[in-house]
Amino acid sequence: MELDTQDYIGMAAIAPFVAAVFAPLLGRLFGQISGLALALVPAAIFYYLIGFAPAVVSGETIATSLDWIPAYGIGLSFFVDGLALVFALTISGIGTLIILYASAYLKGHEHQGRFIGFMLAFMGAMLGLVLADSLLGLFVFWELTSITSFLLIGFDHKRQAARRAAIQALVITNVGGMCLLAGAILVYVLTGTWEMSAVRGMGDVLREHSLYLVVLLCFLGAAFTKSAQFPLHFWLPNAMEAPTPVSAFLHSATMVQAGVYLLARMTPSLGGTAEWTSILTIFGGITLLWGALGAIKQTDLKQILAQTTIASLGVLVLLLGLGSSYAVAGVAVYFVAHACYKAGLFMVAGAVDHETGTREITALGGLRKAMPVTFAGAVLGALSMIGLPLTLGYFAKEEMYAGLLSGEWTVLLTLAVLVIGNGLLAGVAMIVMIKPFMGPQIDTPKHAHEAPIAMLVGPVLLGVIGVLLGAMPGFVGANILEPAASAIFGSAVDSHLSLAIDVTSPLIWLSIATWAVGVATYLQANSLRSVLRKFDSAIGWTADTVFDRVMFGLIRFSARVTQTLHHGKLEIYLVVVFCALGLALFGPMLAWGGFDWLVPTRDLGDWSLRLVLPSLHFYEWAIFITAIIGLVAVLCAPTRLVAILALGVQGTSVALIFLIFGAPDLAFTQLMVEVLSVVVLTFVMSRLRLDVKDHRPFEDWARDGTIAIICGAGVSLLLMLVLNGELNTRLSDFFIQTSVPIAHGHNIVNVILVDYRGFDTLGEIAVVMGAGMAILALLRRPKKEPVAKKTRAPRKAKKVTP
């Protein structure tokens, strides 16, 4: 059922944007305290959203909509079901801890307020994404996550590596954004609705259509770029150039999870086909192993965790590809477990770096005494990542194995990939937990000491939550697994989580095998790292280098195109423009038989009779004669100055025509423009020091004259055709009827300019302003002083000594 409510769910997404506007000012005024106060925003959002939990758990959905573009039936709609609520609570809950963490991590930074503002906007974009029901709304928030992540990754913009990583992330994810837009449009064309809540009931319409594969590839392209699936994974490790609070938020609950959310949301509509299953399981499995092995190669704590995020995203995509009730249950539990331990471990890595001056595990050791609380947070997070009993990670691992116990070789292969991948991740978790904290203490660049309390609340609290939820399988099953998994699966999914361990069940032995692989990975980490790095060296290139070469080639290609099209020769520009105008005038007339209308026919009559000039007054004849004189003067002008003045005569004649046809305001505008143009052109010509006369060869005269005759003839013929057509006055009637009641203006011309065509007029004003600024800059350019010729000083006569 669907429950309408007056509560505007969209405020949960809008509130962070409002707070982001004031964050820089608050940061300058109150410093670190502003970060503590701004953390109340996501905390309030969490409190607001959790109020929907009883209704959602009971199977209800909450929807609301705001008219966005009512003329086209487009609304900004929001929708809360089990999947959206689990994501939104995770985003706002972890976001609260991240803002607290950032207030201490960036204490004293001159742009702390700006940074927290970016973080809040990032959070708002992600909340809007998971709460949106409209595909167009989803696309808008999707792109906002890309833009805000660009600002966060490149926050330290003085470093070239940060700028490069930000651009790389923006380019890759924006490609996915275009895929999402194309997919959304196709879904609308095929189903007739933008609302995902309606689309999920039309899965058969999409799956049985001939364009299904195209739609699927569009959505997969969007998800794979955002969630860093192989081979589009390489931007995510480079995003570690961002400050640690960004990494903790981005990798746990926000941007990289957007692709997973999209796939989960579209599973009832697009899932269940051979294409869906094959593509997602293959690429998800490859991404899992690639990320896990990539983590072993690294020695930087943040890079290690970044690679494990790639692997975890591969797990989620693989499970969504399988699509069974066990698999989607595993997705729901694993998402929450991963968000908790990954955010906590990233905050641990940031605390270690902040208090010791290094993140290299080879330069760390024995920190458990100097940083005991940080060590406790690392242990709690790592235990859930390993998947030991009484942690939420254990249930996630059990769920993903439970649906893969059949004897088919494809199922066994998938199970083997999951066991090996999870085992490698368990080994990496041991490295992060043990290497920096155990063993003898190693001297670090900074004297090691415990981090501030604001940096410790997050990892400890998230670690405790991971353990508490692991001890409450009934609560997790009823409040997380069943609502979220049912929304993904499209029908009710029952929880069967239990603390009981059955030694006769294959699941416990698969878990033991996973832990064994983890222990072996930890013990042989150095050897594996050496082998993997030699393998990389033997290949000699990576996806990162391919991206650099593609971007370099694109830049060189754009430079060549720019040099070809923007060569700086104004004369050629004008020739091309007017040739294009002539083609645009004659092309349609030739293609659509327009010249047939110019031939005298029985319907049109004799043109010689139709082209009779009307009876004109003497002053009207004077205007036309003045225009003709001006035209001849332009053609025969002996100097540039005379040509400019003759052009002014043409414009003045047009202004007078406007005047006699009852448009004095338009005539005045035209006259002012002509006067200003003549004055400015005359002034500029005097500054440019051009020749008095324009000496041009006959070839140029012939070329320009021919083009002018073609364009003039084209305009004349087009006007003849238009005048012989039937006049449709619907638009004029609309302006007359609505000018006063809607636009509150009696002068219809003015109303059209400032109301109906307001944006067009604004653009014209902007162009004129830009041209004026360019002219001003040109006039203020200092004159170059003539360089005096150097004269050699006369040589002194040498003294001759006798």
Side-chain angles (χ1 to χ4, degrees), residues 219-471:
F219 280 95
L220 292 184
F224 281 21
T225 54
K226 209 75 160 181
S227 290
Q229 295 300 289
F230 181 91
L232 302 171
H233 62 285
F234 53 89
W235 68 268
L236 188 55
N238 292 331
M240 293 303 96
E241 297 295 335
T244 299
V246 179
S247 304
F249 204 23
L250 186 147
H251 284 253
S252 59
T254 53
M255 187 163 120
V256 296
Q257 299 292 351
V260 172
Y261 173 82
L262 179 65
L263 293 176
R265 178 60 73 196
M266 298 305 294
T267 295
S269 306
L270 300 176
T273 64
E275 295 88 350
W276 171 278
T277 302
S278 300
I279 295 174
L280 265 64
T281 52
I282 291 173
F283 280 93
I286 294 174
T287 304
L288 165 59
L289 297 178
W290 187 278
L293 293 173
I296 297 172
K297 289 187 295 185
Q298 305 296 326
T299 55
D300 181 291
L301 279 173
K302 282 181 66 175
Q303 285 294 338
I304 291 173
L305 294 173
Q307 296 289 345
T308 62
T309 299
I310 294 175
S312 297
L313 294 170
V315 171
L316 291 168
V317 170
L318 186 152
L319 294 175
L320 288 170
L322 294 175
S324 65
S325 59
Y326 286 103
V328 296
V331 170
V333 179
Y334 189 77
F335 166 73
V336 178
H338 173 265
C340 290
Y341 74 67
K342 187 56 61 70
L345 290 177
F346 261 111
M347 286 189 271
V348 166
V352 170
D353 183 28
H354 194 269
E355 308 306 333
T356 66
T358 182
R359 299 192 304 257
E360 287 289 326
I361 58 174
T362 56
L364 293 169
L367 294 177
R368 65 189 182 281
K369 294 181 180 179
M371 307 178 71
V373 181
T374 304
F375 176 51
V379 171
L380 291 172
L383 291 179
S384 187
M385 185 173 175
I386 294 169
L388 291 179
L390 296 180
T391 66
L392 190 59
Y394 172 76
F395 290 126
K397 178 169 51 58
E398 294 288 294
E399 286 298 309
M400 66 179 73
Y401 291 162
L404 297 171
L405 300 179
S406 67
E408 298 180 11
W409 72 269
T410 54
V411 175
L412 293 177
L413 178 61
T414 305
L415 180 61
V417 169
L418 284 173
V419 170
I420 295 173
N422 285 327
L424 294 173
L425 290 178
V428 173
M430 295 178 195
I431 293 173
V432 173
M433 176 180 64
I434 297 173
K435 290 290 186 182
F437 298 99
M438 303 303 289
Q441 185 167 355
I442 300 175
D443 293 334
T444 53
K446 293 170 60 176
H447 175 67
H449 58 278
E450 192 58 270
I453 188 170
M455 294 176 62
L456 298 174
V457 172
V460 173
L461 182 58
L462 291 173
V464 170
I465 290 174
V467 173
L468 286 178
L469 292 179

Side-chain angles (χ1 to χ4, degrees), residues 182-193:
I185 294 173
L186 286 173
V187 167
Y188 174 76
V189 171
L190 299 181
T191 64
T193 180

